[in-house]
Amino acid sequence: MLLSLKWLREFVPFEGTAAELGDRLTMLGLELEEIIRPFDAIEPIVVGHVVSRERHPEADKLSVCKVDVGQGEPLDIVCGAPNVAAGQRVPVALVGTTMPGGMVIKKAKLRGQPSHGMICSERELGLGEDHDGIMVLPESFRIGARLVDELDLDREVCDIAITPNRADCLSVLGLAREVALAFGLPLTMPALDLKEEGADASNALRIDIPDASLCPLFHGRVLEGAAVRKSPAWMRYRLIAVGVRPISNIVDVTNYILMELGQPLHAYDLDLLAGGRIEVSAAREGERLTTLDGVERVLTSNDLLIRDGEKPVGLAGVMGGAETEISDKSSRVFLEAAVFRPGTIRKTARRLGLSSEASYRFERGVDQVVCSYAMNRAAQLIAGLSGATLRPGICHNEPLPWQAPVLRFRRARAEALLGISLDETFCRETLERLGCKVDAADAADWKVTAPSHRRDFEREADLIEEVARVRGMDTIEPVLPKVMRPLDRAGAPESKYSFWLRLKHWAAGLGLNEAINYSFVGQKDLDHLNLAVDGRIPIMNPLTADQNVLRTELAPGLLQNLRHNIAQGNAGLRLFEVAHIFEADATSDTTARERARLDILVYGSRHDSQWPHVEADADYADIKGIVEHCLAFLHLEGATFTLAASHPFLMPCVEVAVQGRQVGVIGRVRPEIADAYHARKDAWLADLDLDVLRELHDAARIAFRSLPVYPPVRRDITVAAPGSLQVGAVLDHILGLRLPLLCGVELIDVFEPEGKDERNLTFRMTFRHASRTLKDAEVDKERDKVAHSLVEKLPVRI
């Protein structure tokens, strides 16, 4: 919302600066985005007086003028405008001035005659579209004065961001109410002085509204003898200052009132309205209307139409019809002011792509009570600017009069919600300054009648929010609440939230970065991962085609994160996400089943590139190690890793099981799938079922042991094994020997000789005695047992 400070001061006597106003409004929730100075580009332009005008000796269409700009000797200026004449006051751009279009005025010779400046037209100054001649100023303007001062232009305009719930602030009046509230200033409404003549016009048009919910109020006034012409300068320049293009006096008045009071209006050529009636009703399927922009619109039954006795004449709340628009030939005007259902206007404007200043306000809701005042003020201005006669009487139909909601306000409740003490007098004065009527007969439970312009007052919490807003949200000191665990909760099972939080802390501590993705993905994302169509839950009204279904896997989001990070030049990535996936379930009350998952993605460089890390890419061992670390964190032992026959988007894929129950899968994203996300290296992903892990974790028995006192002794053993032999088989065999001194074994190296279908696997075995230090001889004896058993039972050699 563009707010002119000069316009604002016609409502409230605010004397501060634009920055001070913006700071205060921002703290009230109306953020100042920018301070605009719309006429700064013409600030160097001065008022000149044409002392003499002579015909150019070398060009019939040029004039040689001497112009007094109040700086000593008159300047010689060559002008091509046909209307320049001696004795005129004119705007002059001096040498060195940069015009709004970027042109710099320089000394020049035009057909041999020197020229030291330029006499300007309205279009050259950005004050209108008139370029037929120079702009002639009133005789009262001071010679040499700045043009912007003499025209009394709006110099500062604040661009205020208005939240969707504050439709009341989409006008000068609405923001003036906020300024009066913020600074304790009186609010003055523009005076009405209607001069009505002629016969009563209340029956000039019959207003029919079949469905009151679509149009609670529709009324209008009749003006006759109007002359359609250019608006006066003060109105045109003010509209330009707030970003509205002037058109004609009648149309400009409707736009002026829209910006001033927030009430959209529409003017019809009354001679083009047929049948002596107006009907506001839903359109018929396929009905057509040509709007003011010359485009024929095909309508649906969800659109709201305004019809005369024969035809559609306007798309309610969005745009008028071309057949009844005001033109230079118009003399009889019907001025419409109405209130329409916001949802209907919003849907029509969105469907047709016809967002306008009027629809923007209608779809958020306008003030039904101020509607009549806005219509009368507009009628007064049109009569004054066009010479029209205002007929007495109003064509009126209000099938759904405004009913002000009565809300409760309890100061004790407000203090409990806000966590501060509130003065009773402050609360009452604040509500009354907001326009509310307060019935404090019950001191503990007030009855508050909301004003018509505050459509967002729907419940007690809204009033409490207003009290806090006016007091100042920034003045409420932050205090951490006391968090106490009830005694009867001691020993209760851990909540799902706490379990998730512990896992997130574990992952962050391991150096993984958390990803938080939308639950919505695209059907094409799931198709790309070869996921089943059965079980998908489509979104009825998706925001975009890329978010039209609930995710059945977390992988699409993580792969999108991978693509984004690769685009940003990240060489290595370690991500995790804890979230729900969704599958259709006809047996559920919600028709959907949610399952908790933990997904982990590693890609690219294993370490940062800085010394002393060795440059290497993450592989299967990295993702498996992370999963094993997670299982150890959850006190789950005895995990098995089995190669799966197939998987939709992982190859190879390894199934992870604990105590015979599958808890997830790990593997490499198929290269052809990863390539679509711009991956140039292997991407490794783990998908773990948190619901199963939670069950196993809750059932696990944690055994505590004393820390070892005596040192361990380690021995390495390398076996040459065929490529078909799994590492797990070797590990299981070694541990299956149940040697009393063996407390651990792990794979530490793999070497694959070229040209041979075998691998050299190096294992490190750890031996320890609980009550004494081991001797080398007895450790070597245990190692030999392992070596002999491996050769005897497995197809390997030492």
Side-chain angles (χ1 to χ4, degrees), residues 596-619:
R597 313 294 286 193
L598 164 63
D599 272 30
I600 302 164
L601 175 74
V602 295
Y603 169 84
S605 299
R606 177 177 291 129
H607 305 292
D608 293 335
S609 59
Q610 291 85 359
W611 179 89
H613 298 300
V614 177
E615 185 174 346
D617 290 335
D619 56 19

Side-chain angles (χ1 to χ4, degrees), residues 275-297:
R277 65 186 287 268
I278 288 287
E279 179 184 304
V280 186
S281 59
R284 294 183 290 273
E285 287 291 336
E287 196 166 2
R288 297 173 182 269
L289 168 71
T290 300
T291 48
L292 287 172
D293 56 2
V295 178
E296 186 179 61
R297 311 287 179 177

